Amino acid sequence: MFGKKVIVKFKDGKILKGWTENFSPNKETFHLYKTEEFSEKGEKDIVEIKFSSLKVVFFVKSHKGDKDYKKVRTFEGQPKITPSQRKIIVTCNDDEKIYGTTLGYNPNKKGFFIYPIDPKDNNERIFIIQESVKSVKLLEFDKNN
């Protein structure tokens, strides 16, 4: 289909699945081409998404995923395959915790990317909107990895 597969989660809990070709954290909006599953009669198949309405954007391997898969919630024993070894635990305003690594975190930016620590995770990377963050815990940087 188009561009990168994404699942967007809004602040109000609404979820849309689709593709995007013009995602940029430096813009205020991007376009989502909805999957057939999320296209309803009378709705546009292309939606303009405003960052201000979002909690998180998941860049995924598959739109289906595995709802029974138990995500890894620890850094212990995980292979070091992410682009960065800067470990981060993000707690969102709704108390959801997201574990991963990041190339950089700046609380003054609109958001930031993290990479899942679990190679079996359906997410390739995650963009978290700063307004949706309750707290961020940066763990000690491991210079040897």
Side-chain angles (χ1 to χ4, degrees), residues 39-60:
S39 292
E40 298 174 14
K41 289 184 180 180
E43 281 194 3
K44 293 182 183 178
D45 288 337
I46 302 172
V47 180
E48 183 176 74
I49 305 291
K50 294 180 181 180
F51 280 101
S52 61
S53 66
L54 292 179
K55 171 186 169 186
V56 68
V57 179
F58 298 98
F59 291 82
V60 296

Side-chain angles (χ1 to χ4, degrees), residues 104-112 128-131 133 136 138:
Y105 170 70
N106 181 340
N108 299 316
K109 292 197 173 188
K110 182 183 306 169
F112 55 98
I128 303 173
I129 309 303
Q130 185 61 45
E131 289 180 3
V133 174
V136 169
L138 288 168

Side-chain angles (χ1 to χ4, degrees), residues 3-139:
K4 295 283 186 184
K5 292 179 191 171
V6 295
I7 298 175
V8 296
K9 192 169 186 180
F10 293 85
K11 290 177 184 175
D12 66 4
K14 180 179 171 185
I15 294 174
L16 287 178
K17 297 179 182 183
W19 288 262
T20 186
E21 294 178 325
N22 68 340
F23 179 93
S24 170
N26 300 321
K27 295 182 180 178
E28 297 301 317
T29 64
F30 65 96
H31 292 96
L32 178 79
Y33 298 84
K34 291 195 274 185
T35 63
E36 288 181 23
E37 173 187 0
F38 279 85
S39 292
E40 298 174 14
K41 289 184 180 180
E43 281 194 3
K44 293 182 183 178
D45 288 337
I46 302 172
V47 180
E48 183 176 74
I49 305 291
K50 294 180 181 180
F51 280 101
S52 61
S53 66
L54 292 179
K55 171 186 169 186
V56 68
V57 179
F58 298 98
F59 291 82
V60 296
K61 298 171 189 167
S62 164
H63 283 124
K64 293 188 181 195
D66 180 357
K67 66 180 179 181
D68 296 325
Y69 181 72
K70 301 295 182 211
K71 290 190 179 212
V72 172
R73 301 284 189 210
T74 179
F75 293 100
E76 298 296 319
Q78 290 304 309
K80 294 167 178 49
I81 60 164
T82 61
S84 169
Q85 295 308 312
R86 186 72 165 165
K87 298 171 185 172
I88 188 170
I89 302 171
V90 179
T91 303
C92 296
N93 290 333
D94 62 2
D95 291 325
E96 177 182 8
K97 288 189 187 269
I98 302 174
Y99 292 68
T101 63
T102 187
L103 294 172
Y105 170 70
N106 181 340
N108 299 316
K109 292 197 173 188
K110 182 183 306 169
F112 55 98
F113 284 101
I114 70 168
Y115 299 87
I117 53 174
D118 182 355
K120 295 178 184 175
D121 196 298
N122 188 45
N123 298 306
E124 292 178 337
R125 62 184 177 149
I126 304 164
F127 186 76
I128 303 173
I129 309 303
Q130 185 61 45
E131 289 180 3
S132 300
V133 174
K134 181 188 282 184
S135 68
V136 169
K137 182 176 182 182
L138 288 168
L139 304 177

